[in-house]
Amino acid sequence: MGNCCESASNFFGPQKNTNVRVSLPAVCFVWQIAMIVLFGVFIRYDEESDAHWVELKKTENLTDLQNEFYFRYPSFQDVHVMIFVGFGFLMTFLKRYSFSAVGFNFLIAAFGLQWALLMQGWFHHFDYSTGKIYIGIESLINADFCCAASLIAYGAILGKVSPVQLMVVTLFGVTLFAVEEYIILDLLHCRDSGGAMVIHCFGGYYGLAISWVLYRPNLHRSKRLNGSVYHSDLFAMIGTLFLWMFWPSFNSAIANHGDGQHRTAMNTYIALASSVLTTVALSSMSKKEGKLDMVHIQNATLAGGVAMGTAAEFMITPYGSLIVGFCIGIISTFGYLYVTPFLEKRLKLQDTCGIHNLHAVPGMLGGFIGAIVAATASESVYSKQGLIDTFGFTGKYENRSPGTQGGFQAAGVCVAMAFGLVGGAIVGFILKFPIWGDAADDYCFDDEAYWELPEEEETIPPVLEYNNHMTQHKHQETPETSFSVVES
Amino acid sequence: MGNCCESASNFFGPQKNTNVRVSLPAVCFVWQIAMIVLFGVFIRYDEESDAHWVELKKTENLTDLQNEFYFRYPSFQDVHVMIFVGFGFLMTFLKRYSFSAVGFNFLIAAFGLQWALLMQGWFHHFDYSTGKIYIGIESLINADFCCAASLIAYGAILGKVSPVQLMVVTLFGVTLFAVEEYIILDLLHCRDSGGAMVIHCFGGYYGLAISWVLYRPNLHRSKRLNGSVYHSDLFAMIGTLFLWMFWPSFNSAIANHGDGQHRTAMNTYIALASSVLTTVALSSMSKKEGKLDMVHIQNATLAGGVAMGTAAEFMITPYGSLIVGFCIGIISTFGYLYVTPFLEKRLKLQDTCGIHNLHAVPGMLGGFIGAIVAATASESVYSKQGLIDTFGFTGKYENRSPGTQGGFQAAGVCVAMAFGLVGGAIVGFILKFPIWGDAADDYCFDDEAYWELPEEEETIPPVLEYNNHMTQHKHQETPETSFSVVES
Amino acid sequence: MGNCCESASNFFGPQKNTNVRVSLPAVCFVWQIAMIVLFGVFIRYDEESDAHWVELKKTENLTDLQNEFYFRYPSFQDVHVMIFVGFGFLMTFLKRYSFSAVGFNFLIAAFGLQWALLMQGWFHHFDYSTGKIYIGIESLINADFCCAASLIAYGAILGKVSPVQLMVVTLFGVTLFAVEEYIILDLLHCRDSGGAMVIHCFGGYYGLAISWVLYRPNLHRSKRLNGSVYHSDLFAMIGTLFLWMFWPSFNSAIANHGDGQHRTAMNTYIALASSVLTTVALSSMSKKEGKLDMVHIQNATLAGGVAMGTAAEFMITPYGSLIVGFCIGIISTFGYLYVTPFLEKRLKLQDTCGIHNLHAVPGMLGGFIGAIVAATASESVYSKQGLIDTFGFTGKYENRSPGTQGGFQAAGVCVAMAFGLVGGAIVGFILKFPIWGDAADDYCFDDEAYWELPEEEETIPPVLEYNNHMTQHKHQETPETSFSVVES
């Protein structure tokens, strides 16, 4: 076997070194210790998760039910499922990369959420008087959201990078996210409850830029593994369905209490239903005999949730949601059919999961849809107080008009794209250093590089043979020999 | 290959045309556009999801927590999981029909819920003064419920129909559902929070009637595919478990606030536990050496949830719930053992998933159990106000006695059955037209007809061979030739 | 085939009788009937799930939202998923024991929760004036918790026992649990919201003691089946992820309303993230070329949740949680690498799933961590009322100091261990009687013993061949013969 490998490397040139035995543990340990130190210095419970809550409750005459926990926790758990099972299993579609899909997704999300609690804390919840960040249930949701952008980026480079590179992608991804989110939500005062701009648009272009820099001209050498098998497609459907079902929770998790969460969930639910039908229609139209393509069903059906990420919180109306889902299902499926191959061939952009069609473009369009819906908002539709609450026209934004808000929302999309493209390009160049343990072009999309794989399924011998074989071993020729005798 | 197919069709007679390249996109596009138009004309946010809620809140002195969203949303998400993952994966047990099981389930539920929002809206939430339907979170739950009936029907015809036929089944299924539900819940004023009558009994008999009309005398020609493999049975267990776990949410999702939801969830939980034990007992008794049959575990364990669909909201007592689960576990397993084979052989009724035993009969019995429990209700058990609230003895039903209520409940079961059987027969005849793209008897239970399937799992070559093979191709004979040399 | 089996049993000595056709149905039926009788005598709805709630509401001026249901139900559903999907699928990693893993987990949890409602009811909720147990949503959560201990024990003996033995393990496991829980929570007045002591420590040692008594010196004869295949590892990841994601709900499900639930969920979330990184680090360090081992990822990542089972409710601080997760990830992975092999070789303790490293040790350590955190509690950190509420320093415990509380917490750990070890040893001896239908050493880890298995996946013939074969059968020689002709 050693001999075989040697001849292979002679033939193809030296195989890259995928040994991460030093780098992966080092990164995990050092960064985790850094997290502990930084948490120790900065992070504390907020007043609703601190044991002092009982005093606050008495002072402000609250009941336990008014603890933010009860408004947010069910949605948080749905979001949590999307991050770990949804994104993780969606990427298991490759025939021999499912361990890495679900395992590395698990690793980088677990790191990313810690770093996100810090980064988002410094930008949004830092108390200058005490020098601390105070976290509660909403921080956990936001941390999960923040990871999502890096997990989206993982989709573009799936199968082509090492876990150490993914940790780097996540470190920078979360950092960039926190900055662009601060600019978009705080400085521009945009609304983006489901993160069409800050999560999907940013995450999508971030991943595409990284992948573009890491272009592998000889990736076709791994072509045999860059596809699905029957069961791996079914595993991926677990991811698809949990994403699809819980997307209403994703978009509404940090929306305004009351009608805000209520409406956001409904709009998302409706738009998602619509994009399923147009995805199926276009997928069927595009193939011989109208056969459906699992790639489309697994991905484009979700585009409705992305595209509603900004507008779902607004009064877009139920039929408006249907129209968004209708169009985005077509656009996304079209992307899988024609744009992804075009990007790979012409722009030298290899996008394993097609995040261009599921996140980048729907996120960008979702941002602009949000801008349009915001710009057309009126007091008659929202009520005077409703308009103020929905768009946060209070304090120094008291006099902002819906039209102006629309303009700022559109500007937000551009910020998200710019951060994604520029940040991704820089991170991509960092990842080009030949120190990260990524696989050679012939060995991409293969769990073998980073996982101890179990034996093959075919090798389960029936009990009798196995034991007979073991016993008779001493007395007989080896099976191989006896077989060759028969053949000759 | 083309040659092979040709000879096959010569041998068996012409293969049916399963090309849905025109019909499936046409149905999806046209119906989706119709939905957009109808939503535009009719559907609006209700007052709790509209931005005007903030004004209502002030007027009526409410807090955000009293928004219906917080009473219903966690249960809604559980129901949503049951519809898409539960029903979808439960049907993946067939060895080569898992894509269709989970994919078409996805398609028709996504269409059905839109149509349900309209149909149920017209019957239940239509405001004659404005000509609009106002929807909120409870509408979404009801829409999911409404789809469930059509998904149940899919179970009976799984593997034998085209996606276009399934869309037709859903269109009529949702329509019939809305009418029978209106008759049962509004005109007869029955209580049926978990839908034993309106969902399971109706859906079960609807599917059976369709399947009866679509009887295929030569279905045995697909027999090789009408069974499970090890992994497909495990995928089906994902569906089973999510249905089983979330059934308490299903039954309680639209039950009365407070003790109503609380009691309904508990009763369902208890009954389900009981039916697991009797299912295992009967399954083990029925087989050589006491081996268990996965079909029973996947299905009959759920019958306790169905059978409690009506009565769970009432004061049936915890031990009453146990008794219901005990009996229905036995009845359902017995059905899988003896009734389904009998139906197929004697009544020419092919029921792929055995919905007769999981939905039709348990739903019918659940309706009658509800009638009995309602008839025996008393003020001492419920309290005066409790009796009024539980059965809705207000307004024009103020003077209805529990006994009368029991009679109406029993009548409701009959209405559900009648709608299912007659409606299903009519829809079945519509589906017999030879225009829908269903597969010939030899090609049933095969994803090949409607899906682009990935290559087989066995064909993952080791990297070395594959690349060597590619390189040496030019210099050598083809492997096939060299092999034949050895053989001769 | 009969012939083959016969020769096998001659060769290896008589195969054990795994026929459970009498014993399994008998146990299920009799115990289920006993449950019905006992529920009939003892169990009633509590005041929040009884229809009289409407009167209570009026008397005490409550709103529906204050019904315990709305505080607990979302967490309950998460716990429910952990018990049935989490534990069930986590154990599917064996290549040919997935049916038993998920199926018997289902069976014994469904029985266990009924028995737990009774046992815990008698100890905690028995009303001496009426002679009844009153149950509500919190009882359901506790019943699920109580099952968890027996499911943990199943992990140690997975593949080596019959379903009848598992029912016995559960019967005694639930009984012992209720007693030790009563001692720990009521007599010692410990806090243990996530059950590090009462669930994990007890359940872990209970399973280990049983497995120790049932030691099989010739278990290596089943070695061929005691391992995973690619897809079975992926199914197990479904279990892992649902456990990991919902562990914050597990620990917080019965924590105090308000800040208690809020803080518990946050601490658990943070600790779990940390243990993922150290698990990956240690797993990678331990293998050639830094490859990861799925066994570690599937299990040790969860240890953070176990270790926070007691302390998560306290003011352990976010960085304290990180430190716990950091250390326990290392300890648990170390256990899988070195302790489990050591236990098997030196202590003759066969622990299929390695519950020693995931439950027993982390649970024990979690208990002591809780003791330390409790002992160091102070009014300045908790506030005066917060300290009273968190530790329940009311009534006869009014004067207990945090230091004393820490001592009692530590005593609780010892009680849990003692109950687990002694109880497990006794149950193990009961299970040694040769009447329970467990498999011989050569046939362990094999679903074949207790399940009707579907045909193999390889045997799906293409449609043409199959049908041709059937038709031409009469006219031709059998394929086998014709093949041998070619060969000769």
Side-chain angles (χ1 to χ4, degrees):
Chain A
M1 185 66 192
N3 203 25
C4 288
C5 284
E6 203 180 325
S7 61
S9 40
N10 290 344
F11 194 88
F12 299 115
Q15 187 193 341
K16 273 198 186 178
N17 182 6
T18 58
N19 190 328
V20 291
R21 194 169 177 182
V22 172
S23 55
L24 184 58
V27 165
C28 288
F29 273 132
V30 173
W31 293 7
Q32 185 59 57
I33 290 167
M35 289 301 118
I36 292 174
V37 173
L38 290 168
F39 268 56
V41 176
F42 290 107
I43 295 204
R44 297 293 178 272
Y45 302 121
D46 73 2
E47 55 187 16
E48 308 203 13
S49 56
D50 192 287
H52 286 86
W53 156 258
V54 62
E55 296 191 332
L56 182 79
K57 211 171 61 172
K58 210 180 291 172
T59 324
E60 304 204 357
N61 202 19
L62 300 169
T63 69
D64 274 328
L65 265 171
Q66 284 164 294
N67 193 302
E68 192 72 6
F69 182 79
Y70 301 100
F71 286 96
R72 304 287 185 203
Y73 192 69
S75 308
F76 160 67
Q77 277 295 5
D78 293 350
V79 171
H80 216 38
V81 171
M82 292 175 72
I83 297 296
F84 289 89
V85 161
F87 281 104
F89 273 91
L90 184 61
M91 296 190 289
T92 58
F93 71 99
L94 289 173
K95 63 182 80 161
R96 277 284 141 171
Y97 209 67
S98 306
F99 283 15
S100 301
V102 79
F104 295 158
N105 182 82
F106 192 16
L107 170 65
I108 64 178
F111 164 67
L113 62 86
Q114 297 178 53
W115 182 227
L117 284 174
L118 283 162
M119 282 302 300
Q120 294 187 313
W122 284 319
F123 277 105
H124 295 284
H125 305 291
F126 191 69
D127 182 330
Y128 286 92
S129 64
T130 60
K132 304 293 178 202
I133 297 161
Y134 296 95
I135 61 169
I137 183 71
E138 199 171 328
S139 315
L140 306 192
I141 298 173
N142 276 312
D144 272 19
F145 279 179
C146 192
C147 293
S150 298
L151 302 181
I152 289 165
Y154 182 20
I157 53 183
L158 184 74
K160 301 176 287 181
V161 291
S162 75
V164 184
Q165 286 175 308
L166 286 172
M167 291 291 282
V168 175
V169 167
T170 308
L171 180 75
F172 286 99
V174 168
T175 311
L176 290 162
F177 182 98
V179 178
E180 57 109 28
E181 187 195 36
Y182 177 71
I183 296 171
I184 294 171
L185 301 191
D186 287 39
L187 301 188
L188 302 179
H189 196 67
C190 297
R191 299 291 305 179
D192 194 19
S193 75
M197 297 183 270
V198 299
I199 300 170
H200 297 285
C201 180
F202 163 73
Y205 286 106
Y206 179 60
L208 291 173
I210 294 173
S211 189
W212 180 74
V213 176
L214 296 181
Y215 179 69
R216 288 166 177 261
N218 295 314
L219 191 60
H220 58 83
R221 286 192 180 163
S222 300
K223 205 184 158 192
R224 74 200 178 284
L225 291 173
N226 190 0
S228 65
V229 289
Y230 196 75
H231 279 128
S232 70
D233 267 331
L234 263 182
F235 278 112
M237 277 305 286
I238 296 174
T240 299
L241 288 176
F242 274 102
L243 287 171
W244 194 91
M245 296 181 304
F246 287 167
W247 217 293
S249 301
F250 191 92
N251 284 353
S252 68
I254 56 165
N256 286 335
H257 290 176
D259 65 292
Q261 284 191 280
H262 199 150
R263 185 170 58 249
T264 311
M266 271 175 54
N267 285 333
T268 311
Y269 169 94
I270 290 168
L272 283 162
S274 177
S275 56
V276 172
L277 270 86
T278 51
T279 298
V280 168
L282 209 66
S283 181
S284 177
M285 276 172 69
S286 69
K287 299 279 172 175
K288 217 183 52 169
E289 300 182 14
K291 293 187 181 188
L292 297 170
D293 189 331
M294 256 295 167
V295 172
H296 306 156
I297 308 300
Q298 280 161 10
N299 292 283
T301 51
L302 300 168
V306 178
M308 292 295 286
T310 303
E313 200 181 2
F314 307 153
M315 294 285 287
I316 189 174
T317 72
Y319 63 90
S321 306
L322 278 186
I323 293 170
V324 170
F326 187 94
C327 299
I328 207 72
I330 293 171
I331 292 168
S332 183
T333 312
F334 182 84
Y336 281 96
L337 285 166
Y338 305 108
V339 182
T340 298
F342 172 84
L343 288 178
E344 179 152 0
K345 214 168 161 192
R346 302 288 168 196
L347 295 194
K348 302 198 175 308
L349 178 49
Q350 291 151 336
D351 177 6
T352 313
C353 295
I355 62 162
H356 176 267
N357 317 304
L358 175 50
H359 297 283
V361 169
M364 183 193 62
L365 294 177
F368 288 123
I369 292 164
I372 294 165
V373 178
T376 57
S378 68
E379 281 193 13
S380 65
V381 172
Y382 287 76
S383 83
K384 189 171 161 60
Q385 188 61 39
L387 197 64
I388 293 169
D389 288 359
T390 304
F391 295 100
F393 291 156
T394 53
K396 65 177 177 178
Y397 304 103
E398 200 175 351
N399 296 316
R400 193 183 269 188
S401 72
T404 318
Q405 178 70 22
F408 278 102
Q409 297 275 147
V413 184
C414 304
V415 172
M417 280 184 72
F419 263 82
L421 289 171
V422 175
I426 295 167
V427 172
F429 281 109
I430 294 171
L431 297 182
K432 285 204 96 164
F433 287 95
I435 56 171
W436 302 112
D438 49 324
D441 293 340
D442 311 85
Y443 296 86
C444 285
F445 311 113
D446 195 348
D447 276 337
E448 187 65 42
Y450 306 111
W451 296 87
E452 296 271 321
L453 292 186
E455 51 175 321
E456 288 305 304
E457 306 205 18
E458 288 85 335
T459 60
I460 310 173
V463 55
L464 194 67
E465 273 182 41
Y466 177 83
N467 284 306
N468 272 338
H469 180 266
M470 279 183 61
T471 332
Q472 296 168 5
H473 212 256
K474 311 150 209 163
H475 315 294
Q476 279 204 346
E477 304 268 359
T478 60
E480 285 79 17
T481 323
S482 63
F483 182 61
S484 65
V485 170
V486 169
E487 271 197 337
S488 64
Chain B
M1 183 68 191
N3 203 24
C4 287
C5 283
E6 203 180 323
S7 62
S9 41
N10 290 344
F11 194 87
F12 298 115
Q15 188 192 340
K16 273 198 185 176
N17 182 7
T18 58
N19 190 329
V20 291
R21 195 170 176 179
V22 173
S23 54
L24 183 58
V27 165
C28 289
F29 273 131
V30 173
W31 293 7
Q32 185 60 57
I33 290 167
M35 290 300 118
I36 292 174
V37 173
L38 291 169
F39 267 56
V41 176
F42 289 108
I43 294 205
R44 297 295 178 270
Y45 302 121
D46 72 2
E47 54 186 17
E48 307 203 14
S49 56
D50 191 286
H52 285 86
W53 157 259
V54 62
E55 296 191 333
L56 182 78
K57 209 172 64 172
K58 210 180 290 170
T59 324
E60 304 204 358
N61 200 20
L62 300 169
T63 68
D64 274 329
L65 266 172
Q66 283 164 295
N67 193 302
E68 191 73 5
F69 182 78
Y70 301 100
F71 285 96
R72 304 287 185 202
Y73 192 69
S75 308
F76 160 68
Q77 277 295 4
D78 293 349
V79 171
H80 216 38
V81 171
M82 292 174 73
I83 297 296
F84 289 89
V85 161
F87 282 104
F89 273 90
L90 183 61
M91 295 189 289
T92 58
F93 72 98
L94 289 173
K95 63 181 81 160
R96 277 284 141 172
Y97 209 66
S98 306
F99 283 15
S100 301
V102 79
F104 296 157
N105 183 82
F106 193 16
L107 170 65
I108 63 178
F111 165 67
L113 62 87
Q114 297 178 50
W115 182 226
L117 284 173
L118 283 162
M119 281 302 301
Q120 295 187 312
W122 284 318
F123 277 106
H124 296 285
H125 305 289
F126 190 69
D127 182 330
Y128 286 92
S129 62
T130 61
K132 304 294 178 200
I133 297 161
Y134 296 95
I135 61 169
I137 184 70
E138 199 171 328
S139 314
L140 305 193
I141 299 173
N142 276 312
D144 272 20
F145 279 178
C146 192
C147 294
S150 297
L151 302 181
I152 289 165
Y154 183 20
I157 53 183
L158 184 74
K160 299 175 288 181
V161 291
S162 76
V164 184
Q165 286 175 308
L166 287 172
M167 291 291 282
V168 175
V169 166
T170 309
L171 180 76
F172 286 100
V174 168
T175 311
L176 289 162
F177 182 98
V179 179
E180 57 110 27
E181 188 195 38
Y182 177 70
I183 295 172
I184 295 171
L185 301 190
D186 288 39
L187 301 189
L188 302 180
H189 196 68
C190 296
R191 300 290 305 178
D192 194 19
S193 74
M197 295 183 272
V198 297
I199 301 170
H200 296 285
C201 180
F202 164 73
Y205 286 105
Y206 179 59
L208 290 173
I210 294 173
S211 188
W212 180 73
V213 175
L214 295 181
Y215 179 69
R216 288 166 176 262
N218 295 315
L219 191 61
H220 58 83
R221 285 192 181 162
S222 299
K223 203 183 160 193
R224 73 200 180 284
L225 291 173
N226 189 1
S228 65
V229 288
Y230 196 75
H231 280 127
S232 70
D233 267 330
L234 263 182
F235 278 112
M237 277 305 286
I238 297 174
T240 299
L241 288 176
F242 275 102
L243 287 171
W244 193 90
M245 295 181 305
F246 288 166
W247 217 293
S249 301
F250 191 92
N251 284 353
S252 69
I254 55 164
N256 286 334
H257 289 176
D259 65 292
Q261 284 191 281
H262 200 151
R263 185 170 58 249
T264 310
M266 271 174 54
N267 285 333
T268 311
Y269 169 93
I270 290 169
L272 283 162
S274 177
S275 56
V276 173
L277 270 87
T278 51
T279 298
V280 167
L282 211 65
S283 182
S284 176
M285 275 171 69
S286 68
K287 299 279 172 175
K288 216 183 54 170
E289 300 182 13
K291 292 186 181 187
L292 296 169
D293 189 330
M294 256 294 168
V295 172
H296 307 155
I297 308 301
Q298 280 161 9
N299 292 282
T301 51
L302 301 167
V306 178
M308 292 294 287
T310 304
E313 201 181 1
F314 306 153
M315 294 286 286
I316 189 175
T317 72
Y319 63 90
S321 306
L322 278 187
I323 293 170
V324 170
F326 187 94
C327 299
I328 207 72
I330 294 172
I331 292 167
S332 183
T333 312
F334 183 85
Y336 280 96
L337 284 166
Y338 304 108
V339 182
T340 297
F342 172 85
L343 288 178
E344 179 153 0
K345 213 169 163 190
R346 301 289 167 195
L347 296 195
K348 304 200 174 304
L349 177 50
Q350 292 150 337
D351 177 8
T352 313
C353 295
I355 62 161
H356 176 268
N357 318 303
L358 175 50
H359 297 284
V361 168
M364 182 193 62
L365 293 177
F368 288 123
I369 293 164
I372 294 166
V373 178
T376 56
S378 68
E379 281 193 13
S380 65
V381 173
Y382 286 77
S383 84
K384 191 172 160 57
Q385 188 61 40
L387 197 65
I388 292 168
D389 288 359
T390 304
F391 295 99
F393 291 155
T394 54
K396 66 177 178 176
Y397 303 103
E398 200 174 354
N399 296 316
R400 192 185 270 190
S401 72
T404 317
Q405 178 68 23
F408 278 101
Q409 296 275 147
V413 184
C414 303
V415 172
M417 280 184 70
F419 263 81
L421 288 171
V422 176
I426 294 167
V427 172
F429 280 109
I430 294 171
L431 296 182
K432 285 204 97 164
F433 287 94
I435 56 170
W436 302 111
D438 48 324
D441 294 339
D442 312 86
Y443 297 86
C444 285
F445 311 114
D446 195 349
D447 276 336
E448 187 65 42
Y450 306 111
W451 296 86
E452 296 271 319
L453 292 186
E455 50 176 324
E456 288 303 305
E457 306 205 17
E458 288 85 335
T459 60
I460 309 172
V463 54
L464 193 67
E465 272 180 41
Y466 177 83
N467 284 306
N468 272 338
H469 180 268
M470 280 183 59
T471 331
Q472 295 169 7
H473 213 255
K474 310 148 209 166
H475 314 294
Q476 280 202 347
E477 304 269 359
T478 60
E480 285 79 16
T481 324
S482 65
F483 182 61
S484 66
V485 169
V486 168
E487 271 197 338
S488 64
Chain C
M1 185 67 192
N3 204 23
C4 288
C5 283
E6 201 179 326
S7 62
S9 41
N10 290 343
F11 195 87
F12 298 114
Q15 188 192 342
K16 273 197 186 178
N17 181 7
T18 58
N19 190 329
V20 291
R21 194 170 178 180
V22 173
S23 54
L24 183 58
V27 164
C28 289
F29 272 131
V30 173
W31 294 8
Q32 185 59 58
I33 290 168
M35 289 301 118
I36 292 174
V37 174
L38 290 168
F39 269 55
V41 176
F42 289 106
I43 294 204
R44 297 294 179 270
Y45 302 121
D46 73 1
E47 55 187 16
E48 308 203 13
S49 56
D50 192 287
H52 285 86
W53 157 258
V54 62
E55 297 191 332
L56 182 79
K57 211 171 62 172
K58 209 180 292 172
T59 324
E60 304 204 356
N61 200 19
L62 300 169
T63 68
D64 274 329
L65 266 173
Q66 284 165 294
N67 193 302
E68 191 72 6
F69 183 78
Y70 300 101
F71 286 97
R72 304 287 185 204
Y73 192 70
S75 308
F76 160 68
Q77 277 295 6
D78 293 350
V79 171
H80 216 40
V81 171
M82 292 174 73
I83 297 296
F84 289 89
V85 161
F87 282 104
F89 274 91
L90 184 61
M91 295 190 288
T92 58
F93 72 97
L94 289 172
K95 63 182 81 159
R96 278 282 141 173
Y97 209 66
S98 306
F99 284 14
S100 301
V102 80
F104 296 158
N105 183 82
F106 192 16
L107 169 66
I108 63 178
F111 165 67
L113 62 86
Q114 297 178 50
W115 182 227
L117 284 173
L118 284 161
M119 282 302 300
Q120 294 187 314
W122 284 319
F123 276 106
H124 296 284
H125 305 290
F126 191 69
D127 183 330
Y128 286 91
S129 63
T130 60
K132 304 293 178 201
I133 297 161
Y134 296 95
I135 62 169
I137 183 70
E138 199 171 330
S139 315
L140 305 193
I141 299 173
N142 276 312
D144 272 20
F145 279 180
C146 191
C147 293
S150 298
L151 302 181
I152 289 166
Y154 182 20
I157 53 182
L158 184 74
K160 300 174 289 181
V161 290
S162 75
V164 184
Q165 285 175 309
L166 286 172
M167 291 291 282
V168 175
V169 166
T170 308
L171 179 75
F172 285 100
V174 168
T175 311
L176 289 162
F177 181 99
V179 178
E180 58 110 27
E181 187 195 38
Y182 177 72
I183 296 172
I184 295 172
L185 301 191
D186 287 39
L187 301 188
L188 301 179
H189 196 66
C190 297
R191 299 293 304 179
D192 194 19
S193 75
M197 296 183 272
V198 298
I199 300 170
H200 297 285
C201 179
F202 163 73
Y205 286 105
Y206 179 60
L208 291 173
I210 294 172
S211 189
W212 181 73
V213 175
L214 295 182
Y215 179 68
R216 287 168 177 261
N218 294 315
L219 191 61
H220 58 84
R221 286 192 180 163
S222 300
K223 205 183 159 190
R224 75 199 178 284
L225 291 172
N226 190 0
S228 65
V229 289
Y230 196 74
H231 280 128
S232 70
D233 267 330
L234 263 182
F235 278 112
M237 277 305 286
I238 297 174
T240 298
L241 288 176
F242 275 101
L243 287 170
W244 194 90
M245 296 181 305
F246 288 166
W247 217 293
S249 301
F250 191 92
N251 284 352
S252 69
I254 55 164
N256 286 334
H257 289 177
D259 64 293
Q261 282 191 282
H262 199 151
R263 185 170 59 248
T264 310
M266 272 175 54
N267 286 332
T268 310
Y269 168 93
I270 290 170
L272 283 162
S274 177
S275 55
V276 173
L277 269 88
T278 51
T279 297
V280 168
L282 210 66
S283 182
S284 176
M285 275 172 69
S286 68
K287 298 280 172 172
K288 217 182 53 167
E289 298 180 17
K291 292 187 181 187
L292 297 170
D293 189 331
M294 257 293 168
V295 172
H296 307 154
I297 309 301
Q298 280 161 10
N299 292 282
T301 52
L302 301 168
V306 178
M308 293 294 287
T310 304
E313 199 181 3
F314 307 153
M315 293 286 286
I316 189 174
T317 73
Y319 64 90
S321 306
L322 278 186
I323 293 170
V324 170
F326 186 93
C327 298
I328 206 72
I330 293 172
I331 292 167
S332 183
T333 313
F334 183 85
Y336 280 96
L337 284 166
Y338 304 108
V339 181
T340 298
F342 172 85
L343 288 179
E344 179 152 1
K345 213 167 160 192
R346 301 288 167 195
L347 295 194
K348 302 199 174 306
L349 177 49
Q350 290 151 337
D351 177 7
T352 313
C353 294
I355 62 162
H356 176 268
N357 318 303
L358 176 50
H359 297 283
V361 168
M364 182 192 63
L365 294 177
F368 288 123
I369 293 164
I372 294 165
V373 178
T376 58
S378 68
E379 281 192 13
S380 64
V381 173
Y382 286 77
S383 83
K384 191 173 160 58
Q385 187 63 38
L387 197 65
I388 292 168
D389 288 358
T390 303
F391 296 99
F393 291 155
T394 53
K396 66 177 178 177
Y397 304 103
E398 200 175 353
N399 296 316
R400 192 185 269 190
S401 72
T404 318
Q405 178 69 23
F408 278 102
Q409 296 275 146
V413 184
C414 303
V415 172
M417 281 184 70
F419 263 81
L421 289 170
V422 175
I426 294 166
V427 172
F429 280 108
I430 294 170
L431 296 183
K432 286 204 95 164
F433 286 96
I435 56 170
W436 303 111
D438 48 324
D441 293 340
D442 312 85
Y443 295 87
C444 285
F445 311 114
D446 195 349
D447 276 336
E448 186 66 40
Y450 306 110
W451 296 87
E452 295 271 318
L453 292 185
E455 51 176 322
E456 288 304 304
E457 307 203 17
E458 288 85 335
T459 59
I460 310 172
V463 55
L464 194 66
E465 273 181 41
Y466 177 82
N467 284 306
N468 272 337
H469 181 266
M470 278 182 59
T471 331
Q472 295 168 6
H473 213 256
K474 311 149 210 164
H475 315 293
Q476 281 202 344
E477 304 269 0
T478 61
E480 286 78 16
T481 323
S482 63
F483 184 59
S484 67
V485 170
V486 168
E487 271 197 335
S488 65

